[in-house]
Amino acid sequence: MRVSKVKRQVLALLLGSSGIGLQAAEVVDFRMWRAPDHTRLVLDLSDAVEYSSFLLEDPHRFVIDMKSSFTDLSFNGLDLSDSPISGIRSGVRNGDSLRIVLDLTTVVESKTFSLAPNSEFGERLVLDLYDK
């Protein structure tokens, strides 16, 4: 479901006012590709975010929590073939944080890092899942 521009602006204003000096960041786009030894998912953001990530077992999942963040994107339709990811879902956590969960088909090692804007892209969050 798409959120209208006005609703998105109101949500950003509300989320931005909930943290001291923090603006709400929106996940505005994403892309994924497979390298020989890992899968990379890049989240394009409207602003820098505070985040934490961790792996879970039984079943295997990779979780990333982003403070004062939101998205109206759907991860449905993303080609997950030839990757350790079987599904991606997201939801609001603690009222103003975004949680993204990657359901995994196998054990992976993970690396997560942010990238500052450059001439082509704005703020980004990179999620690397390395084959074991």
Side-chain angles (χ1 to χ4, degrees), residues 24-44:
E26 180 180 9
V27 178
V28 295
D29 202 4
F30 61 90
R31 55 198 172 279
M32 187 183 91
W33 63 91
R34 180 77 178 146
D37 65 339
H38 71 284
T39 298
R40 174 167 283 184
L41 179 65
V42 178
L43 304 174
D44 292 312

Side-chain angles (χ1 to χ4, degrees), residues 3 6-17 24 69-71 95:
V3 176
V6 172
K7 286 181 183 176
R8 192 176 9 215
Q9 289 171 340
V10 169
L11 183 59
L13 179 63
L14 290 172
L15 288 175
S17 66
S69 300
F70 67 100
T71 191

Side-chain angles (χ1 to χ4, degrees), residues 24-86:
E26 180 180 9
V27 178
V28 295
D29 202 4
F30 61 90
R31 55 198 172 279
M32 187 183 91
W33 63 91
R34 180 77 178 146
D37 65 339
H38 71 284
T39 298
R40 174 167 283 184
L41 179 65
V42 178
L43 304 174
D44 292 312
L45 308 169
S46 64
D47 204 351
V49 295
E50 267 187 70
Y51 66 90
S52 62
S53 63
F54 53 94
L55 289 165
L56 294 171
E57 294 180 4
D58 201 19
H60 297 292
R61 289 156 288 158
F62 175 80
V63 179
I64 184 149
D65 289 328
M66 295 181 280
K67 291 186 179 179
S68 298
S69 300
F70 67 100
T71 191
D72 68 340
L73 297 174
S74 168
F75 295 96
N76 295 334
L78 188 60
D79 182 10
L80 302 175
S81 61
D82 195 36
S83 84
I85 304 168
S86 62

